Amino acid sequence: MNRIFQRPASLLDRPTHFCPGCTHGIAHRLIAEAIDELGIRERTIGIPGVGCCVFLYHYFPIDVLEAPHGRAPACATGMKRAQPDKIIFAYQGDGDMAAIGTSEVIHAANRGENVTVFYINNSVYGMTGGQMAPTTLLGQQTTTSPYGRDFKSEGYPIRMAEMLATLEGVCYSTRVALHTPRHVNQARKAVIKALEMQNAEMGFSVVEMLSTCNTNWRVTPLEAIDMIENEMIPYYPLGVFKERTGKDFL
Amino acid sequence: MYGDVIMGGFGGQGIQVISQLVVEAAIRKGLEVTYLPSYGVEKRGGRTTVTVVLSDHEIGSPITNHPLCVIAMDVLALDKYQAMVAPGGSLIANTSLIPDEKIERGDISAITIRCNEEALSLGTAKVANMIALGAFLERSPILGFDDIERVMGDVFPERLHAKIPLNLKALIRGMEIAAAVPV
Amino acid sequence: MDRRLTKGNIALAEGAIQAHCRYYFGYPITPQNDIPEYLSRNLPKVGGVFIPAESEIASINMVMGAAASGKRAMTSSSGPGISLMQEALSYMAGSDIPCVVVNIMRSGPGLGGIAPTQGDYSQAVHGGGHGDYHSIVLAPASVQEMFDLTIKAFELADTYRNPAMIIADAMIGQFQEPCRLTPREPVVVPDKPWALTGCKGRAPQLLKSLYLADGEQEAHNLVMKQKYDIIRDREVMYETRHLEDAELMIVAFGTPARIAKTAIENLRARGIRAGLLRPISLFPFPVHQVHDFSIRIKKILVVEMNTGQMLRDVQISAHRDSRIFFYGRPGGGVPYPDDIEAQVVAALEEA
Ligand SMILES: Cc1ncc(C[n+]2csc(CCOP(=O)(O)OP(=O)(O)O)c2C)c(N)n1
């Protein structure tokens, strides 16, 4: 029989620890497919942040370094400088990257470190129980914004892909979503492009992925998909915010 | 064999240079040396203080509160270090910038030299530091004129090599003046 | 042997280069800026990498990335910066990643001052970061040791796959002495089969410190404990002076130990028999050496430039009948030999 769909070689056959309905697993799959497609598994090293993504090594048959919360871009910097011929990616949640780790990601991007960050934005601190993050939407109720996020006290949700796109060192900054097949397909292309650009030594690439966290949003998986479409995308528009075409550095 | 000296003044008086000469000369002789310059906050406001310890044995403390010699290139250095000079030690005071009546200790050998004027009489005020160093050499049982002469070419940058003879002259002048002061 | 007048911080930086450290990441702070300045000039000449990092947090995590790649990597800082590094240091200890971290101590707490001090002994030796771990800690007392112990720190870090720290007061960092700037023995960098280099031709590898399953973390801690016991057994370094006939033993490290040496010579000239034990490794601490000497030498004077941090290790190590005295100068105060002599005399006069 001719198989037309199968598990990517760069993804291990393991039961997942992610909650049913969570799109972290889709992100994993897209990255594994891209690694396969580019044939880079044996020279790829992954650096998960701390959060639901921390068990990266559980799923990927690649070398993995576990970074402190928010510091993956700094670890990736040291690693890439020590091994410029390797493909280094960080995989960070929105708490990890957009809260505790803003300094590290901004400066790695600004130096144009030739690494890739996959940024999973599910608008809450998932692993610790769904507390409010800088990315939490206005009015969104979480365990630490029980009355809904109020801009007067907590400010507005932070748009990382747009912000990072302003930095000269960034070669690629895009936002995609993981809630429908069409969006997953777009996301797949973005993941491949980011890794290709790293392979071509073009600088810092970041792919922000709008992701569900139905458990902590306290909704069903289907409702979570609607929330991405109707609540997240209107505030976090999808698109490419920066894309260099060649080694067009200043 | 043991010697120590604290040199103090303000930036531009050439204290770094003469202390460097002393240290290099001592190393060339195979001696142990510690060289403690002022740093950080101490350096702000343009003060320069250097403590040098010389010995033919391992050196313990790189600091001292009763140096055998103090070279005070200005009045602030004198105020700070005169009281510390070990009894029987020497104080070399640049009286171009220190009023004579400030020299108070009777239990030490005080060598007062108008370093700036002496230097000017040799052609340039820039060698005032060498006048003071000459006085130090005259009193030092460890280092002499030859030791300093030997390292001057290494310590001075290339562009100043033409000035070495003048600097040596200033050293000799300082030695002469100090020799006339009773120990 | 060719010895050149060298500043302590420069000897340390050159020691790192001679130890084949090719990766330095750092953020400026007085009194250690000579180290990054020197390395920014000289690392590129040997194909190394210098990054002026955005913070000490970034610096130490960059060190972690380079070290996880199997390379010798280092950062240096002082008080506040070292505090910021503690989380990552703990991660590296937990993940068995070697590195060298230099603390040219400034006085604290808080922003404190930049005069010589030893206020970070407890932070370095008794933890600093969270969790049940130790850094290997070395304390140079001369410019030559700044060079030699830096090389040693890289060796120990690699041998035990553990962070190694060098802690020195600003006096050791800033003063100058003649120094031999070549390694005593040829430097050998061991193979690092555990390094993350991509899984070409081998199984994927992992460096992590998360252990969630039942009993996993305890087992890991016990393995680490075994490692620390071996380090305690094999890697103690110390120097003694005149302990043969001493009636009082001074215990001091770094600058106070240097000053104590002069005090001891002065005291002996007056017929007072003092001696010195200078710990060079602070972890492992010379527990047995302090104990054994204290059996015969009943009086101990601990001298530190803090309010009594190593003191506790001496109290724990010394024989139970010891009389332990303490003389501390915190916050940038530096004792003169006279001061230590007076303390010794007073201690000997006490019944
Ligand atoms: C210094 C530090 N502070 C707090 C934590 C606790 N912590 C672990 S995961 C996490 C949040 C993760 O959220 P996010 O990055 O959004 O990832 P998610 O779990 O949602 O995928 C926090 C706060 C930690 N590990 N380290």
Side-chain angles (χ1 to χ4, degrees):
Chain A
M1 199 173 69
N2 190 15
R3 274 214 210 181
I4 57 164
F5 184 80
Q6 61 186 336
R7 189 174 46 77
S10 295
L11 201 60
L12 294 168
D13 191 6
R14 293 257 170 92
T16 176
H17 79 289
F18 293 115
C19 308
C22 169
T23 46
H24 260 298
I26 295 176
H28 276 33
R29 180 181 178 95
L30 294 180
I31 294 168
E33 282 177 358
I35 291 174
D36 281 2
E37 184 163 330
L38 300 176
I40 53 174
R41 184 182 72 84
E42 291 186 324
R43 61 186 185 96
T44 296
I45 304 168
I47 309 183
V50 177
C52 291
C53 59
V54 72
F55 293 111
L56 196 79
Y57 52 87
H58 222 72
Y59 305 107
F60 287 82
I62 60 171
D63 281 8
V64 171
L65 171 66
E66 191 183 86
H69 194 24
R71 318 301 172 205
C75 293
T77 296
M79 188 164 264
K80 186 74 179 192
R81 296 296 185 108
Q83 308 183 77
D85 56 326
K86 301 290 156 49
I87 299 293
I88 313 285
F89 74 86
Y91 185 112
Q92 304 184 263
D94 49 312
D96 200 80
M97 194 246 246
I100 197 168
T102 41
S103 175
E104 286 72 22
V105 77
I106 285 173
H107 290 282
N110 192 47
R111 284 188 303 270
E113 296 295 342
N114 189 32
V115 299
T116 303
V117 175
F118 297 115
Y119 164 47
I120 307 296
N121 180 359
N122 60 13
S123 82
V124 287
Y125 296 105
M127 189 185 227
T128 43
Q131 295 85 357
M132 197 203 94
T135 45
T136 299
L137 294 170
L138 288 183
Q140 186 178 345
Q141 291 179 336
T142 70
T143 53
T144 54
S145 57
Y147 308 110
R149 179 175 186 167
D150 178 358
F151 73 89
K152 287 202 204 99
S153 163
E154 287 99 38
Y156 291 88
I158 188 166
R159 296 187 183 98
M160 292 302 288
E162 287 89 333
M163 194 168 98
L164 291 171
T166 64
L167 301 173
E168 290 299 339
V170 174
C171 70
Y172 185 50
S173 178
T174 184
R175 181 180 295 114
V176 296
L178 300 175
H179 62 304
T180 73
R182 183 172 64 83
H183 287 98
V184 171
N185 223 4
Q186 282 167 358
R188 199 175 71 85
K189 290 184 191 135
V191 169
I192 291 173
K193 175 162 280 171
L195 291 175
E196 270 175 352
M197 288 176 108
Q198 182 182 160
N199 212 8
E201 297 178 17
M202 290 175 66
F204 187 92
S205 48
V206 54
V207 180
E208 173 170 345
M209 304 186 197
L210 300 183
S211 207
T212 56
C213 185
N214 42 279
T215 299
N216 285 308
W217 293 352
R218 313 238 186 281
V219 297
T220 66
L222 285 178
E223 287 166 343
I225 284 170
D226 288 344
M227 279 176 67
I228 296 235
E229 187 66 38
N230 301 327
E231 292 171 38
M232 291 210 39
I233 290 178
Y235 188 86
Y236 292 114
L238 306 184
V240 176
F241 303 105
K242 171 107 174 248
E243 182 175 348
R244 286 195 190 278
T245 48
K247 289 193 180 183
D248 53 346
F249 295 113
L250 285 180
Chain B
M1 199 196 290
Y2 175 91
D4 53 27
V5 52
I6 294 178
M7 309 181 188
F10 54 83
Q13 283 188 307
I15 290 170
Q16 298 281 0
V17 176
I18 60 174
S19 56
Q20 211 75 35
L21 285 167
V22 166
V23 165
E24 285 302 332
I27 293 177
R28 197 68 64 89
K29 283 191 107 165
L31 297 174
E32 295 296 333
V33 185
T34 63
Y35 175 86
L36 180 69
S38 44
Y39 72 97
V41 175
E42 245 187 284
K43 230 160 78 179
R44 304 240 166 85
R47 300 302 303 166
T48 302
T49 306
V50 172
T51 305
V52 176
V53 180
L54 314 173
S55 174
D56 57 356
H57 280 74
E58 179 194 341
I59 295 172
S61 178
I63 58 168
T64 172
N65 55 344
H66 32 69
L68 298 172
C69 181
V70 163
I71 300 177
M73 292 302 286
D74 72 352
V75 72
L76 288 179
L78 183 95
D79 288 347
K80 194 156 175 200
Y81 298 112
Q82 172 169 227
M84 281 193 188
V85 180
S90 337
L91 169 67
I92 298 160
N94 176 17
T95 42
S96 299
L97 299 175
I98 298 169
D100 280 293
E101 64 273 17
K102 280 235 166 198
I103 316 291
E104 291 157 350
R105 296 262 311 260
D107 59 338
I108 59 177
S109 165
I111 304 166
T112 56
I113 313 183
R114 301 172 72 81
C115 296
N116 298 34
E117 284 82 355
E118 292 291 344
L120 268 177
S121 73
L122 294 176
T124 165
K126 283 188 179 151
V127 293
N129 57 341
M130 293 295 157
I131 304 272
L133 178 59
F136 171 79
L137 293 178
E138 206 284 323
R139 283 299 152 88
S140 170
I142 301 178
L143 295 176
F145 176 85
D146 295 347
D147 298 312
I148 300 294
E149 185 186 24
R150 200 174 306 137
V151 296
M152 224 176 238
D154 295 334
V155 172
F156 281 23
E158 198 76 36
R159 67 190 158 80
L160 292 182
H161 281 189
K163 305 273 189 224
I164 288 179
L166 174 64
N167 278 275
L168 292 175
K169 239 164 126 183
L171 275 185
I172 291 169
R173 180 68 195 129
M175 294 178 79
E176 285 169 4
I177 298 170
V181 177
V183 179
Chain C
M1 189 77 66
D2 185 28
R3 298 195 313 156
R4 256 186 296 159
L5 185 70
T6 312
K7 193 190 236 190
N9 282 340
I10 301 299
L12 183 144
E14 180 57 29
I17 289 180
Q18 304 267 342
H20 298 296
C21 169
R22 291 293 175 272
Y23 299 89
Y24 176 92
F25 313 98
Y27 189 86
I29 187 168
T30 309
Q32 58 84 53
N33 292 324
D34 319 276
I35 298 171
E37 285 166 9
Y38 183 88
L39 290 172
S40 69
R41 260 196 322 278
N42 291 294
L43 270 178
K45 294 182 192 162
V46 292
V49 173
F50 171 91
I51 299 183
E54 64 269 25
S55 71
E56 292 83 355
I57 296 179
S59 309
I60 187 73
N61 282 285
M62 290 175 190
V63 166
M64 182 165 169
S69 303
K71 311 291 189 188
R72 286 190 165 174
M74 176 177 110
T75 185
S76 59
S77 186
S78 190
I82 298 290
S83 292
L84 282 179
M85 294 180 190
Q86 295 303 331
E87 181 198 32
L89 269 172
S90 163
Y91 271 71
M92 277 193 267
S95 311
D96 301 318
I97 300 175
C99 69
V100 171
V101 175
V102 175
N103 181 0
I104 307 297
M105 289 177 277
R106 50 189 279 154
S107 54
L111 197 48
I114 58 170
T117 185
Q118 298 180 318
D120 301 343
Y121 176 97
S122 292
Q123 183 196 50
V125 175
H126 294 296
H130 60 286
D132 211 345
Y133 81 98
H134 288 283
S135 299
I136 295 163
V137 185
L138 307 181
S142 65
V143 173
Q144 188 64 58
E145 280 190 348
M146 287 289 262
F147 180 83
D148 291 336
L149 291 181
T150 300
I151 296 173
K152 183 78 184 169
F154 277 104
E155 271 173 31
L156 292 173
D158 278 349
T159 303
Y160 296 102
R161 290 182 59 184
N162 201 78
M165 287 191 82
I166 292 176
I167 66 171
D169 59 77
M171 182 93 78
I172 307 285
Q174 295 291 336
F175 86 140
Q176 305 184 21
E177 288 184 300
C179 179
R180 158 188 49 73
L181 289 170
T182 49
R184 215 182 279 280
E185 291 155 16
V187 172
V188 182
V189 182
D191 281 345
K192 299 182 181 175
W194 49 264
L196 305 181
T197 54
C199 56
K200 192 171 166 58
R202 60 158 170 76
Q205 292 182 161
L206 167 65
L207 293 172
K208 65 150 185 170
S209 60
L210 177 68
Y211 293 96
L212 283 179
D214 266 358
E216 253 187 3
Q217 180 66 50
E218 181 175 9
H220 180 59
N221 285 125
L222 291 174
V223 170
M224 289 177 74
K225 158 90 164 61
Q226 281 174 9
K227 170 166 95 179
Y228 298 135
D229 284 344
I230 293 172
I231 293 173
R232 286 187 178 100
D233 217 40
R234 295 189 189 153
E235 305 298 349
V236 170
M237 287 186 276
Y238 65 100
E239 181 196 5
T240 61
R241 182 62 53 91
H242 293 315
L243 286 180
E244 323 74 60
D245 63 346
E247 47 192 335
L248 178 144
M249 170 165 75
I250 296 175
V251 182
F253 70 100
T255 288
R258 296 279 301 242
I259 296 166
K261 283 182 181 175
T262 298
I264 287 166
E265 297 308 326
N266 294 344
L267 287 163
R268 286 191 170 252
R270 289 155 59 187
I272 299 168
R273 298 195 312 275
L276 173 73
L277 189 151
R278 174 173 76 93
I280 298 171
S281 60
L282 301 180
F283 180 85
F285 191 76
V287 173
H288 300 297
Q289 289 74 11
V290 168
H291 178 264
D292 292 351
F293 283 113
S294 70
I295 294 172
R296 195 187 54 71
I297 310 167
K298 295 275 183 271
K299 287 187 172 173
I300 298 175
L301 173 66
V302 178
V303 184
E304 295 181 77
M305 296 198 301
N306 57 44
T307 53
Q309 299 193 12
M310 180 180 69
L311 171 64
R312 287 193 295 156
D313 284 321
V314 174
Q315 285 168 335
I316 289 164
S317 308
H319 188 268
R320 61 173 191 272
D321 295 337
S322 299
R323 289 287 307 279
I324 301 175
F325 301 84
F326 177 70
Y327 176 50
R329 294 289 304 274
V334 181
Y336 284 112
D338 289 2
D339 300 324
I340 297 179
E341 289 163 40
Q343 297 287 327
V344 169
V345 169
L348 285 172
E349 273 167 7
E350 263 190 53

